[in-house]
């Protein structure tokens, strides 16, 4: 076996996903423990309802978030379609009996690319890009502004072009309900697409627009 063919065998591309709880640090210790358990539960329930096998996911819990590398055979349209819809429903049901300030609300980021196990978790461009998309300020603004929702999703441009734009092979994906944003986080720069279940592009566009730069105050004439 040549070194080239060996290199090709170990380079695999996976669907990668990260879910993060909004404003987790405001919670006391018992509430953080409850939210961690609830996060695992709603992700598992949404996966089961969508026909996905969570036991095959390579998961990396991180307190207020979970990063996961999905199996090679995972169907991207199912994740972007059924899983996202079921996750939104399960979150809504879980929050139904909670006070407004106690609701668990999530940011979700998804990309596809090289991801490999490493000493402290995962290496490769996909885990890095998912982390950067997850912390996009536009995604945070959307979730904060839309108080009626419990889930805000961002996908990479490659996911949008390859899956969403083609309407997901019967999974009910609607590209007109996604809005494009430019994400610049640390050394990462790229386009992503934000989607919020039950909310249209016309609601999202004002929220993702970059703030207008403040005009510098005109210098005042000297007084003598």
């Amino acid at each position: 076996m040549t070194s080239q063919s060996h290199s090709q065998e170990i380079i695999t591309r996976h669907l990668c996903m990260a879910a993060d709880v909004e404003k987790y640090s405001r919670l006391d210790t018992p509430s953080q423990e409850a939210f961690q358990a609830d996060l695992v539960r709603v992700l598992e329930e949404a996966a089961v309802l969508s026909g996905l096998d969570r036991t095959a996911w390579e998961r990396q819990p991180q307190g207020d978030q979970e990063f996961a590398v999905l199996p090679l055979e995972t169907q991207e349209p199912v994740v972007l379609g059924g899983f996202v819809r079921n996750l939104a429903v399960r979150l809504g049901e879980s929050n139904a009996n909670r006070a407004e300030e106690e609701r668990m609300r999530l940011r979700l980021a998804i990309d596809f690319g090289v991801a490999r196990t490493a000493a402290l978790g995962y290496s490769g461009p996909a885990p890095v890009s998912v982390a950067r998309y997850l912390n996009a300020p536009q995604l945070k603004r959307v979730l904060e502004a839309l108080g009626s929702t419990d889930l805000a999703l961002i996908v990479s441009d490659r996911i949008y072009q390859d899956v969403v734009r083609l309407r997901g092979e019967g999974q009910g994906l609607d590209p007109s309900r996604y809005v494009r944003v430019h994400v610049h986080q640390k050394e990462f720069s790229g386009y992503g697409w934000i989607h919020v279940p039950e909310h249209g592009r016309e609601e999202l566009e004002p929220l993702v627009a970059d703030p207008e730069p403040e005009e510098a105050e005109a210098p005042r004439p000297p007084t003598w």
Side-chain angles (χ1 to χ4, degrees), residues 147-177:
S148 61
T149 190
D150 297 314
L151 178 66
L153 165 71
I154 185 169
V155 302
S156 67
D157 187 60
R158 66 171 62 88
I159 289 286
Y160 176 87
Q161 300 298 339
D162 292 348
V163 182
V164 178
R165 190 172 61 85
L166 300 178
R167 297 187 177 273
E169 300 176 2
Q171 285 295 320
L173 301 180
D174 184 356
S176 70
R177 300 182 73 85

PDB file of all heavy atoms in Angstrom, residues 147-177:
ATOM      1  N   GLY A 147     -37.971  36.051  20.980  1.00  0.00           N
ATOM      2  CA  GLY A 147     -38.319  35.426  22.250  1.00  0.00           C
ATOM      3  C   GLY A 147     -39.296  34.282  22.133  1.00  0.00           C
ATOM      4  O   GLY A 147     -39.424  33.475  23.060  1.00  0.00           O
ATOM      5  N   SER A 148     -39.980  34.171  21.001  1.00  0.00           N
ATOM      6  CA  SER A 148     -40.975  33.110  20.842  1.00  0.00           C
ATOM      7  C   SER A 148     -40.371  31.786  20.421  1.00  0.00           C
ATOM      8  O   SER A 148     -41.075  30.771  20.364  1.00  0.00           O
ATOM      9  CB  SER A 148     -42.021  33.531  19.797  1.00  0.00           C
ATOM     10  OG  SER A 148     -41.398  33.744  18.536  1.00  0.00           O
ATOM     11  N   THR A 149     -39.074  31.764  20.109  1.00  0.00           N
ATOM     12  CA  THR A 149     -38.451  30.520  19.651  1.00  0.00           C
ATOM     13  C   THR A 149     -37.482  29.989  20.686  1.00  0.00           C
ATOM     14  O   THR A 149     -36.967  30.730  21.529  1.00  0.00           O
ATOM     15  CB  THR A 149     -37.715  30.724  18.311  1.00  0.00           C
ATOM     16  OG1 THR A 149     -37.336  29.456  17.781  1.00  0.00           O
ATOM     17  CG2 THR A 149     -36.457  31.565  18.506  1.00  0.00           C
ATOM     18  N   ASP A 150     -37.221  28.687  20.637  1.00  0.00           N
ATOM     19  CA  ASP A 150     -36.266  28.058  21.537  1.00  0.00           C
ATOM     20  C   ASP A 150     -35.059  27.500  20.800  1.00  0.00           C
ATOM     21  O   ASP A 150     -34.172  26.932  21.434  1.00  0.00           O
ATOM     22  CB  ASP A 150     -36.951  26.910  22.305  1.00  0.00           C
ATOM     23  CG  ASP A 150     -38.069  27.403  23.199  1.00  0.00           C
ATOM     24  OD1 ASP A 150     -37.861  28.398  23.905  1.00  0.00           O
ATOM     25  OD2 ASP A 150     -39.163  26.792  23.161  1.00  0.00           O
ATOM     26  N   LEU A 151     -35.019  27.672  19.470  1.00  0.00           N
ATOM     27  CA  LEU A 151     -33.942  27.081  18.681  1.00  0.00           C
ATOM     28  C   LEU A 151     -33.591  27.971  17.498  1.00  0.00           C
ATOM     29  O   LEU A 151     -34.474  28.410  16.755  1.00  0.00           O
ATOM     30  CB  LEU A 151     -34.369  25.704  18.162  1.00  0.00           C
ATOM     31  CG  LEU A 151     -33.376  24.965  17.262  1.00  0.00           C
ATOM     32  CD1 LEU A 151     -32.122  24.577  18.032  1.00  0.00           C
ATOM     33  CD2 LEU A 151     -34.025  23.724  16.645  1.00  0.00           C
ATOM     34  N   ALA A 152     -32.292  28.234  17.343  1.00  0.00           N
ATOM     35  CA  ALA A 152     -31.786  28.949  16.173  1.00  0.00           C
ATOM     36  C   ALA A 152     -30.663  28.124  15.564  1.00  0.00           C
ATOM     37  O   ALA A 152     -29.738  27.705  16.265  1.00  0.00           O
ATOM     38  CB  ALA A 152     -31.283  30.340  16.553  1.00  0.00           C
ATOM     39  N   LEU A 153     -30.751  27.882  14.260  1.00  0.00           N
ATOM     40  CA  LEU A 153     -29.814  27.004  13.540  1.00  0.00           C
ATOM     41  C   LEU A 153     -28.972  27.806  12.560  1.00  0.00           C
ATOM     42  O   LEU A 153     -29.463  28.723  11.904  1.00  0.00           O
ATOM     43  CB  LEU A 153     -30.612  25.947  12.765  1.00  0.00           C
ATOM     44  CG  LEU A 153     -29.883  25.159  11.671  1.00  0.00           C
ATOM     45  CD1 LEU A 153     -28.875  24.191  12.293  1.00  0.00           C
ATOM     46  CD2 LEU A 153     -30.880  24.415  10.788  1.00  0.00           C
ATOM     47  N   ILE A 154     -27.688  27.439  12.478  1.00  0.00           N
ATOM     48  CA  ILE A 154     -26.835  27.964  11.415  1.00  0.00           C
ATOM     49  C   ILE A 154     -26.135  26.789  10.749  1.00  0.00           C
ATOM     50  O   ILE A 154     -25.663  25.866  11.424  1.00  0.00           O
ATOM     51  CB  ILE A 154     -25.811  28.996  11.946  1.00  0.00           C
ATOM     52  CG1 ILE A 154     -25.014  29.602  10.779  1.00  0.00           C
ATOM     53  CG2 ILE A 154     -24.889  28.389  12.998  1.00  0.00           C
ATOM     54  CD1 ILE A 154     -24.175  30.819  11.185  1.00  0.00           C
ATOM     55  N   VAL A 155     -26.114  26.791   9.419  1.00  0.00           N
ATOM     56  CA  VAL A 155     -25.411  25.757   8.655  1.00  0.00           C
ATOM     57  C   VAL A 155     -24.370  26.429   7.780  1.00  0.00           C
ATOM     58  O   VAL A 155     -24.481  27.605   7.428  1.00  0.00           O
ATOM     59  CB  VAL A 155     -26.381  24.922   7.792  1.00  0.00           C
ATOM     60  CG1 VAL A 155     -27.448  24.272   8.665  1.00  0.00           C
ATOM     61  CG2 VAL A 155     -27.028  25.769   6.703  1.00  0.00           C
ATOM     62  N   SER A 156     -23.347  25.681   7.431  1.00  0.00           N
ATOM     63  CA  SER A 156     -22.308  26.215   6.557  1.00  0.00           C
ATOM     64  C   SER A 156     -22.853  26.448   5.161  1.00  0.00           C
ATOM     65  O   SER A 156     -23.889  25.902   4.770  1.00  0.00           O
ATOM     66  CB  SER A 156     -21.129  25.247   6.496  1.00  0.00           C
ATOM     67  OG  SER A 156     -21.523  24.047   5.844  1.00  0.00           O
ATOM     68  N   ASP A 157     -22.116  27.230   4.391  1.00  0.00           N
ATOM     69  CA  ASP A 157     -22.533  27.489   3.012  1.00  0.00           C
ATOM     70  C   ASP A 157     -22.526  26.196   2.193  1.00  0.00           C
ATOM     71  O   ASP A 157     -23.398  25.981   1.354  1.00  0.00           O
ATOM     72  CB  ASP A 157     -21.609  28.523   2.371  1.00  0.00           C
ATOM     73  CG  ASP A 157     -22.092  28.947   0.994  1.00  0.00           C
ATOM     74  OD1 ASP A 157     -23.224  29.476   0.901  1.00  0.00           O
ATOM     75  OD2 ASP A 157     -21.356  28.738   0.003  1.00  0.00           O
ATOM     76  N   ARG A 158     -21.553  25.307   2.440  1.00  0.00           N
ATOM     77  CA  ARG A 158     -21.514  24.046   1.668  1.00  0.00           C
ATOM     78  C   ARG A 158     -22.739  23.188   1.979  1.00  0.00           C
ATOM     79  O   ARG A 158     -23.282  22.547   1.081  1.00  0.00           O
ATOM     80  CB  ARG A 158     -20.220  23.283   1.944  1.00  0.00           C
ATOM     81  CG  ARG A 158     -20.059  22.759   3.340  1.00  0.00           C
ATOM     82  CD  ARG A 158     -18.862  21.825   3.452  1.00  0.00           C
ATOM     83  NE  ARG A 158     -17.610  22.492   3.159  1.00  0.00           N
ATOM     84  CZ  ARG A 158     -16.881  23.135   4.067  1.00  0.00           C
ATOM     85  NH1 ARG A 158     -17.318  23.201   5.312  1.00  0.00           N
ATOM     86  NH2 ARG A 158     -15.756  23.693   3.749  1.00  0.00           N
ATOM     87  N   ILE A 159     -23.194  23.171   3.230  1.00  0.00           N
ATOM     88  CA  ILE A 159     -24.398  22.425   3.582  1.00  0.00           C
ATOM     89  C   ILE A 159     -25.622  23.040   2.911  1.00  0.00           C
ATOM     90  O   ILE A 159     -26.486  22.339   2.371  1.00  0.00           O
ATOM     91  CB  ILE A 159     -24.594  22.398   5.111  1.00  0.00           C
ATOM     92  CG1 ILE A 159     -23.550  21.493   5.757  1.00  0.00           C
ATOM     93  CG2 ILE A 159     -25.994  21.935   5.474  1.00  0.00           C
ATOM     94  CD1 ILE A 159     -23.775  20.025   5.572  1.00  0.00           C
ATOM     95  N   TYR A 160     -25.685  24.362   2.927  1.00  0.00           N
ATOM     96  CA  TYR A 160     -26.833  25.029   2.293  1.00  0.00           C
ATOM     97  C   TYR A 160     -26.872  24.717   0.797  1.00  0.00           C
ATOM     98  O   TYR A 160     -27.926  24.353   0.265  1.00  0.00           O
ATOM     99  CB  TYR A 160     -26.753  26.538   2.522  1.00  0.00           C
ATOM    100  CG  TYR A 160     -27.861  27.290   1.818  1.00  0.00           C
ATOM    101  CD1 TYR A 160     -29.097  27.478   2.418  1.00  0.00           C
ATOM    102  CD2 TYR A 160     -27.665  27.810   0.538  1.00  0.00           C
ATOM    103  CE1 TYR A 160     -30.125  28.155   1.776  1.00  0.00           C
ATOM    104  CE2 TYR A 160     -28.688  28.482  -0.116  1.00  0.00           C
ATOM    105  CZ  TYR A 160     -29.907  28.646   0.499  1.00  0.00           C
ATOM    106  OH  TYR A 160     -30.921  29.307  -0.153  1.00  0.00           O
ATOM    107  N   GLN A 161     -25.746  24.879   0.127  1.00  0.00           N
ATOM    108  CA  GLN A 161     -25.711  24.688  -1.323  1.00  0.00           C
ATOM    109  C   GLN A 161     -25.977  23.240  -1.717  1.00  0.00           C
ATOM    110  O   GLN A 161     -26.673  22.967  -2.703  1.00  0.00           O
ATOM    111  CB  GLN A 161     -24.354  25.145  -1.883  1.00  0.00           C
ATOM    112  CG  GLN A 161     -24.024  26.599  -1.629  1.00  0.00           C
ATOM    113  CD  GLN A 161     -25.003  27.568  -2.276  1.00  0.00           C
ATOM    114  OE1 GLN A 161     -25.716  27.215  -3.222  1.00  0.00           O
ATOM    115  NE2 GLN A 161     -25.059  28.788  -1.770  1.00  0.00           N
ATOM    116  N   ASP A 162     -25.432  22.288  -0.960  1.00  0.00           N
ATOM    117  CA  ASP A 162     -25.529  20.879  -1.339  1.00  0.00           C
ATOM    118  C   ASP A 162     -26.832  20.220  -0.908  1.00  0.00           C
ATOM    119  O   ASP A 162     -27.279  19.252  -1.531  1.00  0.00           O
ATOM    120  CB  ASP A 162     -24.364  20.081  -0.725  1.00  0.00           C
ATOM    121  CG  ASP A 162     -23.024  20.441  -1.330  1.00  0.00           C
ATOM    122  OD1 ASP A 162     -23.008  21.134  -2.364  1.00  0.00           O
ATOM    123  OD2 ASP A 162     -21.994  20.040  -0.761  1.00  0.00           O
ATOM    124  N   VAL A 163     -27.443  20.706   0.176  1.00  0.00           N
ATOM    125  CA  VAL A 163     -28.613  20.025   0.742  1.00  0.00           C
ATOM    126  C   VAL A 163     -29.842  20.924   0.760  1.00  0.00           C
ATOM    127  O   VAL A 163     -30.881  20.593   0.189  1.00  0.00           O
ATOM    128  CB  VAL A 163     -28.317  19.504   2.165  1.00  0.00           C
ATOM    129  CG1 VAL A 163     -29.527  18.746   2.720  1.00  0.00           C
ATOM    130  CG2 VAL A 163     -27.080  18.623   2.174  1.00  0.00           C
ATOM    131  N   VAL A 164     -29.731  22.076   1.417  1.00  0.00           N
ATOM    132  CA  VAL A 164     -30.912  22.933   1.606  1.00  0.00           C
ATOM    133  C   VAL A 164     -31.408  23.478   0.273  1.00  0.00           C
ATOM    134  O   VAL A 164     -32.613  23.452  -0.013  1.00  0.00           O
ATOM    135  CB  VAL A 164     -30.596  24.088   2.569  1.00  0.00           C
ATOM    136  CG1 VAL A 164     -31.808  25.009   2.716  1.00  0.00           C
ATOM    137  CG2 VAL A 164     -30.176  23.549   3.934  1.00  0.00           C
ATOM    138  N   ARG A 165     -30.492  23.985  -0.558  1.00  0.00           N
ATOM    139  CA  ARG A 165     -30.899  24.597  -1.829  1.00  0.00           C
ATOM    140  C   ARG A 165     -31.610  23.596  -2.723  1.00  0.00           C
ATOM    141  O   ARG A 165     -32.462  23.967  -3.539  1.00  0.00           O
ATOM    142  CB  ARG A 165     -29.676  25.180  -2.540  1.00  0.00           C
ATOM    143  CG  ARG A 165     -30.017  26.052  -3.742  1.00  0.00           C
ATOM    144  CD  ARG A 165     -28.774  26.739  -4.269  1.00  0.00           C
ATOM    145  NE  ARG A 165     -27.775  25.772  -4.719  1.00  0.00           N
ATOM    146  CZ  ARG A 165     -27.742  25.223  -5.932  1.00  0.00           C
ATOM    147  NH1 ARG A 165     -28.682  25.544  -6.820  1.00  0.00           N
ATOM    148  NH2 ARG A 165     -26.805  24.358  -6.264  1.00  0.00           N
ATOM    149  N   LEU A 166     -31.286  22.307  -2.572  1.00  0.00           N
ATOM    150  CA  LEU A 166     -31.923  21.253  -3.364  1.00  0.00           C
ATOM    151  C   LEU A 166     -33.147  20.682  -2.665  1.00  0.00           C
ATOM    152  O   LEU A 166     -33.695  19.661  -3.076  1.00  0.00           O
ATOM    153  CB  LEU A 166     -30.917  20.146  -3.655  1.00  0.00           C
ATOM    154  CG  LEU A 166     -29.671  20.601  -4.437  1.00  0.00           C
ATOM    155  CD1 LEU A 166     -28.721  19.434  -4.639  1.00  0.00           C
ATOM    156  CD2 LEU A 166     -30.061  21.212  -5.775  1.00  0.00           C
ATOM    157  N   ARG A 167     -33.544  21.320  -1.571  1.00  0.00           N
ATOM    158  CA  ARG A 167     -34.782  21.012  -0.827  1.00  0.00           C
ATOM    159  C   ARG A 167     -34.768  19.636  -0.161  1.00  0.00           C
ATOM    160  O   ARG A 167     -35.812  19.077   0.146  1.00  0.00           O
ATOM    161  CB  ARG A 167     -36.008  21.166  -1.730  1.00  0.00           C
ATOM    162  CG  ARG A 167     -36.192  22.592  -2.228  1.00  0.00           C
ATOM    163  CD  ARG A 167     -37.484  22.792  -2.978  1.00  0.00           C
ATOM    164  NE  ARG A 167     -37.630  24.190  -3.377  1.00  0.00           N
ATOM    165  CZ  ARG A 167     -38.163  25.144  -2.633  1.00  0.00           C
ATOM    166  NH1 ARG A 167     -38.616  24.838  -1.418  1.00  0.00           N
ATOM    167  NH2 ARG A 167     -38.261  26.376  -3.062  1.00  0.00           N
ATOM    168  N   GLY A 168     -33.589  19.094   0.064  1.00  0.00           N
ATOM    169  CA  GLY A 168     -33.430  17.978   0.977  1.00  0.00           C
ATOM    170  C   GLY A 168     -34.109  16.672   0.635  1.00  0.00           C
ATOM    171  O   GLY A 168     -34.435  15.898   1.524  1.00  0.00           O
ATOM    172  N   GLU A 169     -34.332  16.380  -0.604  1.00  0.00           N
ATOM    173  CA  GLU A 169     -34.850  15.069  -1.013  1.00  0.00           C
ATOM    174  C   GLU A 169     -36.108  14.677  -0.237  1.00  0.00           C
ATOM    175  O   GLU A 169     -36.198  13.615   0.381  1.00  0.00           O
ATOM    176  CB  GLU A 169     -33.766  13.998  -0.824  1.00  0.00           C
ATOM    177  CG  GLU A 169     -32.513  14.260  -1.651  1.00  0.00           C
ATOM    178  CD  GLU A 169     -31.418  13.252  -1.376  1.00  0.00           C
ATOM    179  OE1 GLU A 169     -31.656  12.338  -0.564  1.00  0.00           O
ATOM    180  OE2 GLU A 169     -30.345  13.379  -1.960  1.00  0.00           O
ATOM    181  N   GLY A 170     -37.080  15.562  -0.221  1.00  0.00           N
ATOM    182  CA  GLY A 170     -38.351  15.234   0.415  1.00  0.00           C
ATOM    183  C   GLY A 170     -38.429  15.512   1.893  1.00  0.00           C
ATOM    184  O   GLY A 170     -39.426  15.182   2.528  1.00  0.00           O
ATOM    185  N   GLN A 171     -37.402  16.136   2.470  1.00  0.00           N
ATOM    186  CA  GLN A 171     -37.418  16.426   3.896  1.00  0.00           C
ATOM    187  C   GLN A 171     -38.062  17.771   4.226  1.00  0.00           C
ATOM    188  O   GLN A 171     -38.019  18.229   5.362  1.00  0.00           O
ATOM    189  CB  GLN A 171     -35.995  16.393   4.457  1.00  0.00           C
ATOM    190  CG  GLN A 171     -35.444  14.985   4.616  1.00  0.00           C
ATOM    191  CD  GLN A 171     -36.193  14.169   5.647  1.00  0.00           C
ATOM    192  OE1 GLN A 171     -36.566  14.661   6.702  1.00  0.00           O
ATOM    193  NE2 GLN A 171     -36.430  12.904   5.339  1.00  0.00           N
ATOM    194  N   GLY A 172     -38.653  18.423   3.225  1.00  0.00           N
ATOM    195  CA  GLY A 172     -39.384  19.659   3.489  1.00  0.00           C
ATOM    196  C   GLY A 172     -38.510  20.861   3.749  1.00  0.00           C
ATOM    197  O   GLY A 172     -38.955  21.830   4.375  1.00  0.00           O
ATOM    198  N   LEU A 173     -37.265  20.837   3.290  1.00  0.00           N
ATOM    199  CA  LEU A 173     -36.391  21.992   3.489  1.00  0.00           C
ATOM    200  C   LEU A 173     -36.787  23.108   2.532  1.00  0.00           C
ATOM    201  O   LEU A 173     -37.041  22.872   1.356  1.00  0.00           O
ATOM    202  CB  LEU A 173     -34.927  21.598   3.251  1.00  0.00           C
ATOM    203  CG  LEU A 173     -34.382  20.482   4.144  1.00  0.00           C
ATOM    204  CD1 LEU A 173     -32.930  20.190   3.795  1.00  0.00           C
ATOM    205  CD2 LEU A 173     -34.521  20.844   5.609  1.00  0.00           C
ATOM    206  N   ASP A 174     -36.823  24.322   3.055  1.00  0.00           N
ATOM    207  CA  ASP A 174     -37.246  25.476   2.265  1.00  0.00           C
ATOM    208  C   ASP A 174     -36.122  26.504   2.267  1.00  0.00           C
ATOM    209  O   ASP A 174     -35.914  27.205   3.254  1.00  0.00           O
ATOM    210  CB  ASP A 174     -38.515  26.088   2.855  1.00  0.00           C
ATOM    211  CG  ASP A 174     -39.053  27.239   2.019  1.00  0.00           C
ATOM    212  OD1 ASP A 174     -38.395  27.619   1.024  1.00  0.00           O
ATOM    213  OD2 ASP A 174     -40.131  27.750   2.349  1.00  0.00           O
ATOM    214  N   PRO A 175     -35.357  26.614   1.174  1.00  0.00           N
ATOM    215  CA  PRO A 175     -34.231  27.552   1.156  1.00  0.00           C
ATOM    216  C   PRO A 175     -34.643  29.002   1.340  1.00  0.00           C
ATOM    217  O   PRO A 175     -33.827  29.820   1.775  1.00  0.00           O
ATOM    218  CB  PRO A 175     -33.599  27.316  -0.228  1.00  0.00           C
ATOM    219  CG  PRO A 175     -34.642  26.628  -1.031  1.00  0.00           C
ATOM    220  CD  PRO A 175     -35.470  25.839  -0.079  1.00  0.00           C
ATOM    221  N   SER A 176     -35.891  29.327   1.043  1.00  0.00           N
ATOM    222  CA  SER A 176     -36.330  30.713   1.199  1.00  0.00           C
ATOM    223  C   SER A 176     -36.470  31.123   2.666  1.00  0.00           C
ATOM    224  O   SER A 176     -36.668  32.299   2.967  1.00  0.00           O
ATOM    225  CB  SER A 176     -37.664  30.925   0.479  1.00  0.00           C
ATOM    226  OG  SER A 176     -38.716  30.260   1.151  1.00  0.00           O
ATOM    227  N   ARG A 177     -36.363  30.162   3.583  1.00  0.00           N
ATOM    228  CA  ARG A 177     -36.476  30.463   5.008  1.00  0.00           C
ATOM    229  C   ARG A 177     -35.111  30.532   5.693  1.00  0.00           C
ATOM    230  O   ARG A 177     -35.025  30.550   6.928  1.00  0.00           O
ATOM    231  CB  ARG A 177     -37.365  29.431   5.696  1.00  0.00           C
ATOM    232  CG  ARG A 177     -38.780  29.386   5.121  1.00  0.00           C
ATOM    233  CD  ARG A 177     -39.645  28.390   5.845  1.00  0.00           C
ATOM    234  NE  ARG A 177     -40.023  28.870   7.161  1.00  0.00           N
ATOM    235  CZ  ARG A 177     -41.069  29.662   7.411  1.00  0.00           C
ATOM    236  NH1 ARG A 177     -41.838  30.072   6.402  1.00  0.00           N
ATOM    237  NH2 ARG A 177     -41.360  30.046   8.631  1.00  0.00           N
TER     238      ARG A 177
END
